């Protein structure tokens, strides 16, 4: 009996045989692949390593890799890709990895990474990680393996990096430690939070041809050209300049870490110009942390901090260098009492500040935006205000050289305490662009530009200050001489309205070269609990080293024994405490000195009484008015005018204002107006204003 033959089954070729057959012919490669790009070859090499080792974890989620990337990486067209199982695809990847050699062609990335590592002091492992991270950022075929997806076990980034680089995972963990160079320098993103990759803009720079290593960092920080200003342009900051130059010199000599200087104040007050002038005076170069990366995308928050950290590491061995970090409110963020910064963020930032090896100048418009935990890290804090009169005059003369102006115009503008260096430069630029046809048109144009900004300073009044029109119980010239010698003083100005208290305060500021800060009750008093004390403290803090003028202090400095509200007592207590510790000139002004708290008087250095004009000064006022208004002499009214016992200097301003709209024709009209003004004043129906501007009509 013949044996029954077994049925012959057609065996299915193994996947390995299929793969071999596939290799015998040219693979169908997508047309967008550039085999001439050595960076692409490296990206594919790293991707094949990861896929060959970890691809089995994809399971049914292979789709997440996207078909286009899978076709490209496996060098298959769609038909061949679809006909193979997942295991067949992985065998294909492993076979390709064995068959293909490690790319050996030198590329821009290799050269740039070598230069970067040399500048930052990185070893071989760190170089390889930077090489991989740059390709992860720029080539999606590799970056897909490090994207944030739950299907790909993103917490295994360290392992995938080790697989791609064919290194021991322990070496990767060590190199990526939070205190190690790659992380502490800010070069890498936050691995756990942002995934694996370089800080924004750096990968692009590494893949491009660079003429020198400094260009690698050009998207993150840049050297600034020499300053157009010098410290002589900031004479009001001379004492600060002397201290700061000594601090920076000592930090350089001793290689002291964590030397930070904070400059804060309103925009346009010259903070950046001063920082550059300070470096120029020391013959140091200035490196600024950029606001945008190489792709001109804005750098924000922690990214700018990372750029600062990288800047510090790159310049650590470079002497006579100052780092400039402007607009710091963008990175610190305004603290919120209910949502403070997390401890991790604070610890990281504080460590970054403490370990900084290159002295840094930080600039902000609002110091309140910086958390107190950071503020105490700054070695020296300097507030910028509008410059005093003599400095404003110098800046106006320098900036307006190319602008045709009426004779003496800059001297008039120098009286404006609200002018900052930025506003002066802005007005000069506008006048140059508009090309006015006359000096008068230039002046009107600039006045219009400045009128667009509201000022919190003392408004210009209608007449120039004339010390001969001040009647007081103290020799004011001796007061001025004493204040020129002793810059710390507390003065009380008291007397009726219009007698020149505010005018003399401004005269003192001009003569002493200081800025006058004026606060009235409306600036200090609030309906909210605690705001009064905070407003008062802010006023003293702002006027530190200058002149603080508190007007109508009888509104909040009355005798505490007669207080009807708790806030009245706390306000007086706060003011008395501030008076004792204030470094500067404090002037209190009141019409009712008898109502003030008695404890205030023992803190006063001098009390000056301002009074209505005496007979001789009333006659002088009359002659001045006739001269300015071009009214014929009126002898019959000289005697009558001398009898107006309540005339004050402010009447001069009232006359000028009235004359602009209804001119006085003869002495009789002028005398009648003065008599009416005195009558109204005696009745308490009129509140006068000061006189400080130039006499014009």
């Amino acid at each position: 009996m013949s044996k029954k033959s077994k049925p012959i089954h057609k065996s299915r070729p193994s996947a390995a045989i299929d793969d071999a057959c596939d290799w015998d012919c040219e693979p169908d490669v997508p047309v967008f692949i550039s085999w001439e790009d050595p960076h692409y070859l490296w990206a594919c090499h790293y991707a094949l390593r990861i896929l060959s080792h970890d691809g089995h974890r994809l399971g049914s989620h292979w789709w997440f890799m996207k078909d286009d990337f899978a076709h490209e990486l496996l060098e298959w067209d769609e038909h061949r890709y679809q006909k193979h199982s997942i295991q067949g695809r992985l065998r294909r990847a492993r076979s390709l990895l064995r068959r293909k050699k490690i790319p050996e062609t030198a590329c821009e990335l290799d050269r740039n990474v070598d230069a970067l590592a040399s500048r930052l002091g990185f070893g071989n492992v760190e170089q390889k990680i930077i090489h991989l991270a740059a390709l992860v950022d720029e080539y999606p075929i590799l970056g897909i393996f490090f994207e944030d997806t739950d299907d790909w076990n993103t917490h295994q980034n360290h392992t995938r990096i080790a697989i791609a680089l064919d290194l021991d995972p322990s070496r990767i963990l060590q190199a990526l430690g939070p205190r190690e160079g790659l992380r502490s320098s800010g070069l890498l993103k936050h691995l756990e939070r942002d995934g694996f990759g370089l800080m924004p803009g750096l990968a692009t720079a590494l893949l491009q041809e660079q003429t020198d290593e400094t260009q690698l960092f050009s998207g993150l920080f840049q050297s600034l050209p020499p300053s157009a200003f010098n410290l002589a342009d900031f004479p009001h900051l001379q004492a600060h300049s002397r201290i700061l130059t000594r601090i920076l010199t000592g930090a350089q000599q001793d290689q002291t870490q964590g030397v930070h200087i904070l400059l804060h104040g309103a925009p346009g007050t010259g903070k950046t110009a001063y920082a550059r002038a300070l470096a120029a005076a020391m013959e140091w170069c200035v490196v600024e942390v950029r606001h945008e990366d190489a792709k001109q995308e804005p750098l924000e928050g922690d990214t700018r901090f990372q750029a600062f950290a990288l800047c510090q590491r790159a310049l650590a061995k470079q002497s006579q260098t100052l780092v400039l970090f402007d607009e710091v409110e963008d990175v610190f963020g305004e603290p919120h009492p209910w949502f403070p910064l997390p401890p991790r963020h604070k610890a990281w930032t504080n460590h970054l500040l403490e370990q900084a090896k290159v002295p840094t100048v930080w600039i902000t418009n609002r110091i309140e935006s910086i958390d107190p935990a950071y503020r105490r890290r700054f070695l020296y804090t300097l507030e910028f205000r509008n410059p005093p009169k003599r400095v404003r005059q110098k800046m106006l003369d320098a900036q307006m050289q190319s602008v045709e102006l009426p004779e003496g115009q800059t001297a008039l503008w120098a009286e404006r305490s609200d002018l900052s260096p930025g506003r002066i430069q802005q007005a000069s630029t506008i006048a140059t662009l508009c090309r006015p046809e006359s000096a008068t048109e230039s002046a009107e144009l600039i006045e219009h530009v400045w009128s667009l900004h509201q000022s919190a300073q003392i408004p210009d009044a209608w007449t120039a200050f004339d010390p001969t029109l001040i009647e007081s119980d103290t020799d004011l010239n001796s007061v001025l001489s004493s204040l020129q010698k002793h810059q710390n003083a507390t003065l009380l100005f008291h007397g009726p309205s219009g007698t020149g208290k505010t005018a003399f305060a401004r005269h003192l500021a001009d003569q002493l070269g200081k800025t006058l800060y004026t606060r009235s009750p409306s600036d200090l008093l609030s309906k909210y609990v605690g705001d009064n004390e905070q407003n008062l403290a802010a006023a003293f803090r702002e006027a530190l080293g200058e002149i603080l003028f508190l007007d109508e202090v009888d509104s909040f400095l009355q005798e505490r024994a007669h207080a009807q509200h708790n806030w009245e007592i706390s306000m007086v207590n706060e003011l008395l405490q501030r008076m004792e510790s204030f470094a500067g000139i404090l002037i209190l002004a009141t019409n009712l000195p008898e109502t003030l708290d008695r404890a205030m008087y023992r803190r006063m250095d001098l009390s000056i009484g301002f009074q209505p004009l005496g007979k001789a000064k009333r006659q002088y006022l009359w002659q001045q008015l006739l001269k300015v208004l071009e009214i014929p002499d009126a002898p019959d009214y000289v005697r009558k005018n001398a009898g107006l016992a309540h005339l004050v200097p402010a009447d001069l301003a009232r006359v000028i204002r009235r004359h602009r709209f209804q001119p006085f024709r003869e002495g009789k009209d002028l005398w009648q107006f003065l008599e009416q003004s005195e009558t109204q004043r005696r009745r308490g129906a009129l509140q006068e204003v000061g006189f400080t501007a130039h006499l014009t009509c």
Side-chain angles (χ1 to χ4, degrees):
M1 188 174 81
S2 64
K3 294 183 180 179
K4 187 176 180 181
S5 60
K6 294 182 180 179
I8 301 175
H9 296 283
K10 210 178 216 183
S11 62
R12 180 180 180 279
S14 67
I17 297 176
D18 286 345
D19 289 344
C21 294
D22 288 334
W23 297 340
D24 292 336
C25 57
E26 287 293 329
D28 296 329
V29 182
V31 294
F32 54 83
I33 294 178
S34 174
W35 295 104
E36 297 178 356
D37 180 4
H39 300 142
Y40 165 78
L41 296 178
W42 269 109
C44 287
H45 179 76
Y46 288 142
L48 280 172
R49 278 184 175 177
I50 298 173
L51 184 62
S52 300
H53 185 278
D54 257 10
H56 66 279
R57 296 191 182 186
L58 289 175
S60 61
H61 301 291
W62 184 276
W63 56 266
F64 104 91
M65 191 181 160
K66 300 180 183 178
D67 286 342
D68 286 345
F69 292 140
H71 300 165
E72 184 178 345
L73 187 60
L74 297 178
E75 301 178 9
W76 271 343
D77 62 11
E78 182 179 357
H79 172 71
R80 291 177 178 174
Y81 170 77
Q82 293 294 345
K83 78 176 184 177
H84 285 87
S85 65
I86 292 176
Q87 293 299 322
R89 296 169 188 172
L90 292 180
R91 284 193 293 270
R92 169 72 168 178
R94 292 166 187 150
S95 298
L96 283 172
L97 187 62
R98 289 192 301 268
R99 184 169 66 91
K100 291 180 176 293
K101 297 180 179 180
I102 297 176
E104 296 180 354
T105 305
C107 56
E108 298 300 336
L109 178 59
D110 298 324
R111 289 186 283 269
N112 290 332
V113 169
D114 287 343
L116 181 71
S118 175
R119 182 69 176 266
L120 301 179
F122 290 144
N124 184 55
V125 175
E126 287 86 357
Q127 289 188 52
K128 290 184 176 182
I129 292 175
I130 296 171
H131 192 279
L132 174 63
L135 296 174
V136 166
D137 282 343
E138 293 296 307
Y139 288 86
I141 195 172
L142 174 61
I144 194 70
F145 292 100
F146 295 90
E147 284 190 357
D148 185 15
T149 169
D150 293 337
D151 299 323
W152 189 235
N153 296 324
T154 54
H155 65 281
Q156 295 294 329
N157 270 335
H158 293 85
T159 303
R160 286 195 293 277
I161 295 171
I163 293 169
L165 299 177
D166 195 21
L167 293 173
D168 191 312
S170 63
R171 300 182 68 184
I172 301 298
L173 284 171
Q174 180 180 358
L176 294 180
R179 299 298 185 191
E180 299 300 322
L182 285 177
R183 297 282 294 276
S184 63
S185 67
L187 190 145
L188 289 182
K189 298 176 183 176
H190 191 283
L191 194 62
E192 291 77 17
R193 186 182 66 231
D194 303 322
F196 179 59
L198 299 177
M199 63 182 309
L202 185 56
T204 302
L206 288 173
L207 267 66
Q208 295 175 350
E209 182 179 1
Q210 309 292 348
T211 57
D212 57 69
E213 63 181 30
T214 59
Q215 281 196 312
L216 292 173
F217 307 106
S218 60
L220 304 173
F221 52 88
Q222 61 177 350
S223 296
L224 296 179
S227 173
F229 296 89
N230 53 59
L231 291 183
D233 295 316
F234 302 89
H236 55 301
L237 301 177
Q238 183 177 7
H240 297 289
S241 301
R242 187 163 51 248
I243 295 174
L244 288 174
T245 53
R246 296 177 68 179
I247 289 175
L248 294 174
T249 301
Q252 174 72 44
Q253 294 174 348
D254 299 342
Q255 297 184 349
T256 305
Q257 296 183 0
V259 175
H260 301 283
I261 299 166
L262 177 64
L263 308 182
H264 67 98
T269 48
K271 302 182 293 296
T272 303
Y274 176 79
R276 295 175 62 185
L278 182 65
M282 303 180 63
E283 298 183 351
W284 284 21
C285 65
V286 181
V287 176
E288 181 185 32
V289 179
R290 295 287 296 268
H291 304 83
E292 58 184 26
D293 59 23
K295 296 181 179 179
Q296 296 186 338
E297 296 290 337
L299 298 176
E300 299 178 355
D302 285 353
T303 303
R304 284 197 73 199
F305 263 135
Q306 286 179 294
F308 168 71
L310 187 59
C311 177
Q312 285 286 333
R313 189 175 182 98
L315 303 175
K317 298 180 181 179
Q318 183 171 317
S319 61
Q320 297 184 336
T321 301
L322 187 68
V323 175
L324 180 63
F325 201 125
D326 205 350
E327 307 291 347
V328 302
E329 55 268 19
D330 293 345
V331 298
F332 281 112
E334 188 165 353
H336 196 291
W338 299 334
F339 303 102
L341 292 174
R344 178 201 57 78
H345 189 282
K346 281 189 175 181
W348 175 74
T349 305
N350 286 335
H351 177 77
L352 180 62
L353 295 176
E354 292 170 354
Q355 299 300 315
K357 296 182 179 180
V358 185
T360 305
V361 174
W362 304 74
I363 297 176
T364 181
N365 297 331
R366 299 186 67 255
I367 192 173
E368 297 82 6
S369 66
I370 304 177
D371 191 284
Y374 302 143
R375 260 185 258 171
R376 69 184 185 87
R377 306 286 173 177
F378 295 106
L379 189 63
Y380 197 95
T381 301
L382 174 58
E383 181 180 6
F384 275 67
R385 313 178 182 97
N386 291 336
K389 177 183 175 181
R390 71 180 188 279
V391 180
R392 294 196 299 270
Q393 178 73 68
K394 183 178 180 180
M395 290 180 174
L396 283 163
D397 291 338
Q399 293 290 332
M400 300 296 175
Q401 283 183 350
S402 60
V403 181
E404 184 184 2
L405 293 170
E407 185 70 24
Q409 185 64 56
T410 58
L412 293 177
W413 285 338
E415 299 286 345
R416 299 185 54 150
S417 59
D418 62 325
L419 292 185
S420 65
R423 293 186 64 190
I424 293 173
Q425 186 175 28
Q426 178 193 55
S428 173
T429 302
I430 292 176
T432 302
L433 294 175
C434 290
R435 295 176 174 80
E437 297 181 356
S438 65
T440 302
E441 186 181 356
S442 297
E444 292 175 350
L445 175 63
I446 293 175
E447 288 282 2
H448 172 74
V449 171
W450 285 338
S451 69
L452 301 177
H453 301 272
Q454 297 296 325
S455 171
Q457 302 292 328
I458 299 177
D460 294 333
W462 298 88
T463 62
F465 178 79
D466 187 348
T468 60
L469 285 176
I470 296 289
E471 196 80 69
S472 71
D473 58 5
T474 305
D475 183 0
L476 299 183
N477 288 328
S478 65
V479 172
L480 176 59
S481 299
S482 298
L483 290 175
Q484 288 173 336
K485 299 176 183 177
H486 309 287
Q487 298 283 303
N488 293 339
T490 302
L491 310 177
L492 175 65
F493 291 179
H494 60 89
S497 299
T499 51
K501 300 184 293 295
T502 302
F504 184 62
R506 188 164 189 175
H507 177 66
L508 286 177
D510 289 340
Q511 295 300 309
L512 297 174
K514 292 184 175 294
T515 301
L516 181 67
Y517 293 87
T518 299
R519 293 294 181 270
S520 63
S522 61
D523 299 319
L524 301 175
L525 300 181
S526 170
K527 63 181 180 180
Y528 297 107
V529 176
D531 277 4
N532 296 339
E533 294 80 0
Q534 292 182 15
N535 294 338
L536 191 61
F540 275 90
R541 184 171 57 251
E542 182 181 14
L544 187 65
E546 305 294 336
I547 300 179
L548 177 59
F549 183 78
L550 299 181
D551 202 4
E552 300 179 19
V553 293
D554 47 274
S555 299
F556 50 84
L557 190 53
Q558 294 185 358
E559 180 63 56
R560 284 170 289 184
H562 303 151
Q564 299 180 357
H565 305 283
N566 290 334
W567 69 264
E568 295 175 308
I569 298 176
S570 62
M571 187 72 168
V572 173
N573 292 338
E574 179 71 22
L575 179 56
L576 294 177
Q577 292 177 9
R578 294 288 174 179
M579 288 171 61
E580 291 183 341
S581 60
F582 180 59
I585 299 176
L586 174 64
I587 301 176
L588 308 180
T590 180
N591 301 336
L592 305 170
E594 65 277 1
T595 65
L596 302 182
D597 192 277
R598 287 173 292 179
M600 180 271 301
Y601 284 96
R602 66 182 178 85
R603 292 171 169 81
M604 286 292 166
D605 296 308
L606 185 62
S607 177
I608 303 176
F610 290 75
Q611 305 153 358
L613 299 178
K615 181 177 180 180
K617 293 190 176 183
R618 289 199 296 272
Q619 291 179 344
Y620 174 75
L621 173 64
W622 175 259
Q623 295 299 329
Q624 288 296 104
L625 287 172
L626 294 178
K627 178 180 178 180
V628 172
L629 302 178
E630 299 181 352
I631 297 176
D633 194 9
D636 295 341
Y637 289 94
V638 173
R639 178 181 55 81
K640 291 184 178 182
N641 180 71
L644 300 177
H646 291 82
L647 284 183
V648 295
D651 286 322
L652 178 59
R654 296 194 67 240
V655 169
I656 297 299
R657 292 201 304 271
R658 158 66 187 277
H659 184 74
R660 294 178 66 225
F661 299 99
Q662 190 176 356
F664 297 99
R665 302 300 181 186
E666 55 185 25
K668 178 182 178 181
D669 298 333
L670 177 60
W671 182 83
Q672 288 177 345
F673 180 79
L674 291 174
E675 183 185 37
Q676 182 183 16
S677 297
E678 186 196 42
T679 301
Q680 291 175 333
R681 184 176 297 106
R682 289 200 306 266
R683 294 174 180 173
L686 183 63
Q687 293 184 353
E688 301 291 355
V689 296
F691 61 109
T692 51
H694 285 260
L695 185 59
T696 57
C697 54

